[in-house]
Every structure is written in structure tokens, then in C-alpha cells.
Amino acid sequence: ESVLTQSPATLSLSPGERATLSCRASQSVSSYLAWYQQKPGRAPRLLIYDASKRATGIPARFSGGGSGTDFTLTISSLDPEDVGVYFCQQYTRWPTFGGGTKVEIK
Amino acid sequence: QEQLVQSGGGVVQPGGSLRVSCEASGFAFSSFGMHWVRQAPGRGLEWVAFIRYDGTNKYYGDFVEGRFTMSRDNSKNTLHLQLNSLRVEDTAVYYCAKGFGGYDMRDYFDLWGQGTAVNVSS
């Protein structure tokens, strides 16, 4: 089983700043990695799949990168509506998720 | 538009049973594998189960230990998760989710239901 570790646990930034979220896998997951956004009281929403492909309707300020064991989700210019918890997920075998990064607005 | 609408859930004593359901619309339900994912209060996400597009293969998380059964009715675009022998640690919001493929559990989830709360408490 590939364990996913996300960092930081919490990210507090001002509107317009760049947010960089990290997801590290305990063993290679190739590019089989997705990112989700979850707002309070809501279901997760797919942002990125195959490590770098944006899902339908996702704004261009969201981008994903990496392969193997190290991945990043970047929000190029933070918008107040981006507040929430972000999870990474691997799908090389049964799906597993990282513990999440909470994004806050200063 | 594509949508998953969930129902069921509720409060049950340890050892009891519940069923959660999920009705799909706006896409070819019978062509896609489906999953259940759960989230305990204040916790992260945990994959629960998968069923192949035609219902012939099912996979479960190790913690299920034969207690849960996933099923689907493609004629009614519905998905079910029967939860038996429930434990306090099964308390969570259960989400149905559409996989991008149809054949096995190696999926990401491109559409989610709104979630259904299951509370196991004495």
C-alpha cells in the first residue's frame, strides 16, 4: 500500500498569493495521482487527475505536477473561494488518500 | 447534468444494520464502475468499496471484513451499500462516487454524491 503524506497541514495566505501544496508517496505511483478540493459540509470535487490534467470546469489557476513519489498542487493566485481542504489520492492499486492540507485566507 | 443523489443512513446501535443508496442521472450509469468512500468526523477520506460497471466484480477495503455488501441495479440507475454488524468506528459520512473507468478499483472519482451520515452509537 502506498501511503500518501501531505504537507503542510495548514496553509494560510493572502488573496492573490501563490499556494503550493505537497503530496509525497511512500512508493512510486507513477502519474496515477488525483487532487480534490473539499469545502466545509460539502463533498469533495475533482481538480486534477493523472497528476497534471485539469478536470472539466476547473479554473486555470489550479495546476498539478510531479510523478513517481513527489507531487504538487499549485494555486497560482489564491482566491477567497479556494478556502477548503485539499486531498491527494493515488490509484495504482486500491485507492488511498492523503491526510489533507487546509487552505485558509489571512 | 450529471448527478448522484444519496439516501438512507441514520442512527443505529452497534451490531445493527443500515442501507445507503445512490441514484444516478445525467450519464450512462451502466458504463461506469462505482465506489463508496467514507469520511469519519473531522477525519480524512477512506475508500470503502468498488463495483464493476456490470456488477460482476466487487472489491472492499480490508476493514470491511465481510460486513458490507455493495450492489447495483443498472435498470434503475441505483447503487446500494448494505452495512451489517456495524461498529462505532464505522460512524462516518458515506459518499458514492463515480469512477472514471468501468473495470477495476484503480480509479479516481469524477463525480460525488452529497454524502449520507451513518452514526453508530449506543
Side-chain angles (χ1 to χ4, degrees):
Chain A
E1 176 185 341
S2 185
V3 176
L4 300 178
T5 302
Q6 292 188 240
S7 62
T10 303
L11 196 55
S12 185
L13 295 169
S14 300
E17 286 194 298
R18 184 183 190 88
T20 303
L21 288 67
S22 173
C23 176
R24 177 163 289 177
S26 60
Q27 54 189 278
S28 176
V29 299
S30 186
S31 294
Y32 299 116
L33 190 105
W35 289 92
Y36 302 86
Q37 176 195 62
Q38 186 176 34
K39 297 188 177 183
R42 304 289 299 275
R45 176 176 72 146
L46 177 68
L47 299 174
I48 301 287
Y49 65 96
D50 291 350
S52 62
K53 298 175 182 176
R54 260 191 313 275
T56 303
I58 301 305
R61 65 180 181 275
F62 291 94
S63 63
S67 66
T69 60
D70 289 291
F71 300 87
T72 56
L73 174 71
T74 301
I75 309 173
S76 60
S77 178
L78 196 65
D79 188 287
E81 71 177 20
D82 299 333
V83 166
V85 181
Y86 292 77
F87 294 97
C88 58
Q89 177 237 329
Q90 65 80 25
Y91 43 102
T92 53
R93 295 181 67 190
W94 64 91
T96 58
F97 295 86
T101 291
K102 183 177 183 180
V103 173
E104 300 176 335
I105 295 288
K106 272 185 187 175
Chain B
Q1 77 278 20
E2 297 185 347
Q3 197 173 7
L4 296 171
V5 177
Q6 297 183 223
S7 59
V11 181
V12 65
Q13 292 187 336
S17 297
L18 277 178
R19 189 170 87 154
V20 291
S21 299
C22 174
E23 183 172 357
S25 60
F27 67 96
F29 177 73
S30 61
S31 297
F32 292 94
M34 295 294 295
H35 300 257
W36 290 96
V37 176
R38 72 182 185 180
Q39 187 170 33
R43 303 290 296 277
L45 299 162
E46 182 175 38
W47 175 75
V48 176
F50 164 81
I51 187 167
R52 194 171 130 131
Y53 70 98
D54 57 2
T56 55
N57 279 353
K58 305 173 191 180
Y59 300 97
Y60 299 91
D62 289 344
F63 64 89
V64 170
E65 298 176 335
R67 300 179 298 126
F68 300 172
T69 302
M70 188 173 182
S71 62
R72 66 189 297 160
D73 183 342
N74 284 345
S75 68
K76 296 181 180 178
N77 288 352
T78 56
L79 185 73
H80 303 288
L81 184 66
Q82 178 67 39
L83 308 167
N84 296 331
S85 302
L86 282 162
R87 305 166 180 165
V88 171
E89 56 266 33
D90 294 319
T91 295
V93 174
Y94 285 73
Y95 295 100
C96 61
K98 171 180 167 284
F100 78 96
Y103 295 92
D104 67 33
M105 58 184 172
R106 292 173 294 178
D107 261 340
Y108 57 85
F109 315 112
D110 58 5
L111 181 66
W112 296 67
Q114 83 276 19
T116 302
V118 171
N119 187 347
V120 186
S121 172
S122 55

